[in-house]
Amino acid sequence: MAKKLVIKVTAGADAPERCSQAFTVASVAAASGVEVSLWLTGESAWFALPGRAAEFALPHSAPLPDLIEAILAGGTITLCTQCAARRDIGQKDVLEGVRIAGAQVFVSEIMKDGVQALVY
């Protein structure tokens, strides 16, 4: 079994089911004791901002703010540097516990032994 799970979510409100699946899998893994690193890219970048996750709704899915809280309790959330820059989001703008980092850090995470990477 992988010791770490790295999930890159590219979808936001534009593809709600794919977005919700990524956050759900990440939160379940974190709650199961798996080290989780969730990367927000593309339209999911908006969920790094306070209050934005509360605007997301999908029937029969857990509330996104609850999933984010669970992920941060047992893992990390990273906002893509380029995605943040394209949306004028700075480190001072994001939720507490969310970092901004780029492709070099992502590649470093996924290339380690014992890591499973998923993209939604």
Side-chain angles (χ1 to χ4, degrees):
M1 184 165 116
K3 295 178 183 175
K4 182 173 183 176
L5 180 62
V6 179
I7 298 175
K8 180 183 272 195
V9 56
T10 62
D14 59 326
E17 288 183 308
R18 191 163 29 114
C19 175
S20 180
Q21 287 172 350
F23 282 91
T24 300
V25 168
S27 67
V28 167
S32 300
V34 175
E35 182 182 354
V36 173
S37 174
L38 179 72
W39 283 73
L40 305 176
T41 66
E43 286 303 299
S44 72
W46 295 113
F47 298 127
L49 298 175
R52 292 305 277 274
E55 298 171 5
F56 180 88
L58 181 64
H60 310 292
S61 65
L64 210 51
D66 294 350
L67 298 176
I68 289 171
E69 184 178 325
I71 296 163
L72 286 172
T76 61
I77 297 179
T78 304
L79 172 58
C80 160
T81 301
Q82 289 182 14
C83 300
R86 281 190 282 275
R87 291 161 178 81
D88 294 320
I89 300 172
Q91 186 64 56
K92 66 180 178 6
D93 302 315
V94 300
L95 295 166
E96 185 177 339
V98 173
R99 67 178 178 166
I100 298 176
Q104 180 181 4
V105 176
F106 179 77
V107 170
S108 169
E109 284 189 15
I110 65 170
M111 295 307 296
K112 293 179 182 171
D113 288 337
V115 174
Q116 173 68 52
L118 302 173
V119 178
Y120 285 89

